[in-house]
Amino acid sequence: MTATKTILAVAALSLLQHAQATNFQYPPCLDPFQPFVYSGCFQDGSPRTLEYRSEQSSRNMTVEACVAECKGNGFRYAGLEYYGECYCGATVNSPALDEGLCNLPCNGNNTQTCGGNDALSIYQDPTFPTHPGDVDIEDYVPLGCYTDDGPNGRSLPWVRNIPQDTFTPAQCLSSCRDRGFPFAGTEYGQECYCGSVLGNYTTEVGAEECNMPCRGDASQTCGGSLRLNLYVARELLSLEPCGYEPPVDTTTTSVPTATSTTKSSSSTTKVPDTTTSSTTKVPDTTTTSSTTKAPDTTTTPSTTKFTSTTTTTSSVCTTTITPPNDCEYKVGKWCAPHFPDWEHENECLNAWKTCAKLVTSCWKYAGFPASLECLKFSSWCGDIKKYCNNDCKGKTCSKKGCFDKYKPQHPNPPKPPVTTTYPCPTTTVKTTTTKTTTTVVPEPTNICKQPTSKWHNYGPGNPVGGIELPLVTCNDIKEEFSSRPFKLYTEPDTHKCKSYSKWSCSDACKDACEEQHEECKETYVESCKPAWGSGKESPSKAHERCTAQYKDCLIENAWVDPGNRCKNWGSGLKRV
Ligand SMILES: *[C@@H]1O[C@H](CO)[C@@H](O)[C@H](O)[C@H]1NC(C)=O
Ligand SMILES: *[C@@H]1O[C@H](CO)[C@@H](O)[C@H](O)[C@H]1NC(C)=O
Ligand SMILES: *[C@@H]1O[C@H](CO)[C@@H](O)[C@H](O)[C@H]1NC(C)=O
């Protein structure tokens, strides 16, 4: 009886641990900060337009008090409703209302307006560089493995409901992005949290503590027990978080770091005098701008932007974005991530190079027997190259044209465009968007050599089972390039691939040989078993050839001299 009770209690406790997030609140910002700008009267409803509700009493509420709390908690928007309810949020995604509907005085200062019935008077922090509609999930960079649930509660307070059995990091990032949150974290294989600031006591721990595979994609890690795989989109952080001090030397541009938003924590409730000029109106100009950023060539950064049109009328903006397709070619459990659109031969060739980098991850993650189809994927990459060389030579061409001609296998249907409404960005923003990761598309020419054997019938262009030697070529991520200019492309997300210094190219090739050997056994030998084999060799013969190829591969690549390849970032790969 008692034992059962204890077990139930433990079960209930662990359920609680993993299902509930406490919505922590930092104190109002007491340091001077740039005043928020009035953005208009917006509709509130259910769910709330701004999801953070202040615990301050509404009895004494003023615009200054609400704004200071939102600033202290890293939010871009502050909203006041019904005489003094104070809310904060990272996006506003609800219709603008007639100004007349925000007509109630604030309890704490009756010369100020505190919204209306289901209507919010919204103020905006002008120090944010980018609107969430212009941020892609690729802009979220992994920070590592962090603790959750310290003495002060959760590290990230906003839990997202995502179907657990198909859970992937991309879904979590996209859910946090949609609500404008700069921080996102995955935990326990299936949980997603977002936040505008990190909770106290959030500390980095060894990567091995984030050891749980994602339920919907075992090739990726989704935290651990009370451990978060943490991500940040720095574009969604204020350039001047609470506690920011303007630089004395104006030539330094500092990008806020993850921890700088957690400064200021004294407990007095005095509101600084600097926040009183919050009645500045946004300009009434009407501009229409349309931005279509094409993907980049080999030498320029390839941070993908998706077509988005911004229409500005008065103080309400709408933006329409077409979300990237996270599965454009599917083989078993593996998906090729989004390819950027293209119009020119060079951009087309970049798509082919990107495709070539993905072949090994297909073999590695598709799972047998589906992995047999990776051969098809590999030859489809070749088709893209064909398209570039024939249909793009001196003509305009497109991804759509290419994919119509050479159909990708089982892609997910395209996602419908999403339209969002938000208060227009204020004009005082400095647009210093520093991209944190810059990638290039390296030439997919392997620095490792496929060995040859007449006896066992393999050689360049004819590896055992058609499974090519995994690609080792220039590192595509700038931050890694200076110390480790080479990379073994085995993962769909190249941030997760192993990279190597120029003195360890032989190690890189050794790892490539091993990877090829694994895939040879897992896919080719399996496919020769009686259940599959029709006219192929016996499994034992197949195994013998895989092993012989592996041993030859190690010998062939015992001394790899990269010569002058991958010497300079962005110079592509010089053939020697
Ligand atoms: C963080 O710690 C400070 C100082 O101990 C405290 O004042 C503050 O309320 C804490 N914040 C949260 C969100 O727990
Ligand atoms: C409101 O402010 C007044 C004066 O500043 C103070 O005396 C009072 O206790 C406050 N009331 C609440 C509910 O905070
Ligand atoms: C009330 O708000 C007005 C307008 O923002 C401001 O000028 C005034 O100083 C405020 N009064 C108090 C007592 O804070």
Side-chain angles (χ1 to χ4, degrees):
M1 186 66 179
T2 341
T4 326
K5 254 190 195 158
T6 317
I7 290 167
L8 281 178
V10 169
L13 193 72
S14 65
L15 199 69
L16 209 70
Q17 269 185 352
H18 293 297
Q20 219 178 51
T22 39
N23 173 10
F24 62 75
Q25 308 204 330
Y26 279 111
C29 185
L30 301 176
D31 301 314
F33 56 89
Q34 274 204 49
F36 280 40
V37 175
Y38 181 66
S39 302
C41 184
F42 285 77
Q43 186 174 308
D44 199 3
S46 175
R48 292 273 176 204
T49 295
L50 303 176
E51 54 228 293
Y52 172 107
R53 175 155 187 184
S54 162
E55 281 168 7
Q56 294 186 62
S57 157
S58 68
R59 300 263 298 277
N60 273 356
M61 190 54 68
T62 60
V63 172
E64 291 82 357
C66 183
V67 157
E69 179 163 355
C70 297
K71 183 74 184 179
N73 283 277
F75 285 104
R76 177 178 189 147
Y77 298 103
L80 296 117
E81 184 172 331
Y82 200 69
Y83 301 105
E85 293 171 10
C86 168
Y87 297 90
C88 311
T91 51
V92 175
N93 192 6
S94 77
L97 302 174
D98 191 281
E99 279 301 311
L101 291 171
C102 280
N103 53 6
L104 300 176
C106 295
N107 286 331
N109 181 341
N110 62 15
T111 67
Q112 297 179 333
T113 303
C114 273
N117 256 321
D118 281 332
L120 287 157
S121 301
I122 287 189
Y123 291 81
Q124 182 178 182
D125 184 340
T127 66
F128 281 77
T130 316
H131 184 264
D134 296 328
V135 170
D136 313 319
I137 63 168
E138 284 80 5
D139 294 324
Y140 283 85
V141 293
L143 292 175
C145 185
Y146 283 75
T147 57
D148 193 3
D149 225 15
N152 281 359
R154 288 283 171 185
S155 294
L156 297 173
W158 306 99
V159 70
R160 297 284 121 181
N161 287 321
I162 292 172
Q164 299 190 329
D165 42 354
T166 55
F167 187 91
T168 62
Q171 289 170 331
C172 178
L173 297 181
S174 140
S175 173
C176 293
R177 196 282 311 266
D178 290 348
R179 299 302 292 164
F181 284 114
F183 291 102
T186 57
E187 184 171 319
Y188 206 63
Q190 58 185 34
E191 293 170 5
C192 176
Y193 299 91
C194 322
S196 52
V197 285
L198 289 175
N200 279 350
Y201 306 108
T202 306
T203 42
E204 187 167 16
V205 293
E208 72 284 353
E209 295 191 27
C210 282
N211 55 4
M212 295 178 98
C214 307
R215 293 269 311 264
D217 177 1
S219 71
Q220 302 193 65
T221 306
C222 284
S225 179
L226 295 179
R227 292 292 177 269
L228 285 164
N229 268 123
L230 194 62
Y231 300 81
V232 66
R234 294 208 163 82
E235 291 81 349
L236 294 178
L237 289 171
S238 168
L239 296 173
E240 301 178 9
C242 182
Y244 168 87
E245 278 163 28
V248 188
D249 176 359
T250 46
T251 54
T252 46
T253 31
S254 83
V255 175
T257 60
T259 45
S260 61
T261 44
T262 60
K263 229 181 143 184
S264 155
S265 52
S266 94
S267 54
T268 35
T269 45
K270 190 180 148 281
V271 178
D273 300 330
T274 43
T275 55
T276 44
S277 61
S278 41
T279 43
T280 330
K281 258 282 185 191
V282 256
D284 283 338
T285 47
T286 310
T287 50
T288 313
S289 72
S290 164
T291 38
T292 314
K293 192 175 167 295
D296 311 79
T297 62
T298 317
T299 45
T300 42
S302 76
T303 13
T304 322
K305 281 284 169 208
F306 302 93
T307 317
S308 85
T309 317
T310 313
T311 316
T312 314
T313 320
S314 179
S315 60
V316 186
C317 294
T318 54
T319 178
T320 308
I321 52 166
T322 312
N325 191 336
D326 51 19
C327 190
E328 289 201 311
Y329 192 117
K330 187 171 193 169
V331 181
K333 289 186 271 182
W334 172 89
C335 273
H338 186 83
F339 289 86
D341 290 330
W342 67 76
E343 286 169 6
H344 306 288
E345 187 187 356
N346 273 348
E347 297 162 354
C348 181
L349 287 169
N350 281 346
W352 159 64
K353 292 169 194 171
T354 304
C355 198
K357 288 195 296 189
L358 291 166
V359 172
T360 297
S361 71
C362 178
W363 291 112
K364 189 168 171 184
Y365 294 115
F368 186 77
S371 53
L372 290 168
E373 310 239 296
C374 293
L375 221 43
K376 267 199 216 160
F377 174 73
S378 175
S379 91
W380 179 75
C381 293
D383 289 339
I384 297 184
K385 191 180 183 190
K386 240 187 279 170
Y387 179 86
C388 307
N389 290 334
N390 301 325
D391 303 66
C392 288
K393 263 252 140 57
K395 290 177 248 174
T396 52
C397 54
S398 68
K399 172 173 146 186
K400 187 176 178 303
C402 179
F403 283 23
D404 284 348
K405 189 163 180 177
Y406 302 106
K407 291 225 166 358
Q409 182 177 280
H410 314 305
N412 279 352
K415 293 182 187 163
V418 188
T419 307
T420 57
T421 335
Y422 59 94
C424 297
T426 56
T427 43
T428 48
V429 179
K430 293 169 281 184
T431 45
T432 50
T433 18
T434 343
K435 282 282 173 184
T436 42
T437 7
T438 326
T439 61
V440 294
V441 190
E443 207 67 47
T445 313
N446 210 334
I447 63 163
C448 316
K449 288 205 186 77
Q450 162 70 34
T452 305
S453 161
K454 286 223 173 81
W455 173 256
H456 284 115
N457 182 28
Y458 52 75
N462 176 32
V464 177
I467 300 167
E468 294 149 45
L469 189 60
L471 182 63
V472 177
T473 183
C474 308
N475 198 328
D476 61 347
I477 292 167
K478 187 165 190 186
E479 287 66 29
E480 297 171 356
F481 188 86
S482 55
S483 58
R484 299 181 307 270
F486 294 91
K487 179 171 267 186
L488 168 61
Y489 288 92
T490 57
E491 310 297 315
D493 173 0
T494 66
H495 288 92
K496 303 218 171 90
C497 295
K498 250 178 118 171
S499 44
Y500 303 83
S501 73
K502 69 174 176 185
W503 299 280
S504 51
C505 286
S506 307
D507 293 338
C509 291
K510 181 167 165 272
D511 291 345
C513 297
E514 260 159 33
E515 189 62 50
Q516 183 187 38
H517 187 213
E518 283 310 307
E519 289 150 16
C520 195
K521 286 187 291 184
E522 278 166 22
T523 297
Y524 183 60
V525 175
E526 283 305 306
S527 76
C528 292
K529 290 190 173 159
W532 300 98
S534 48
K536 286 203 201 101
E537 58 195 340
S538 70
S540 59
K541 179 79 179 122
H543 195 275
E544 191 187 316
R545 288 176 63 219
C546 288
T547 308
Q549 176 179 253
Y550 170 56
K551 287 183 178 155
D552 280 351
C553 184
L554 293 179
I555 296 166
E556 181 78 45
N557 292 289
W559 275 106
V560 179
D561 176 10
N564 55 7
R565 299 163 105 175
C566 310
K567 270 211 159 143
N568 300 312
W569 170 250
S571 64
L573 187 141
K574 291 209 180 72
R575 285 155 203 258
V576 283

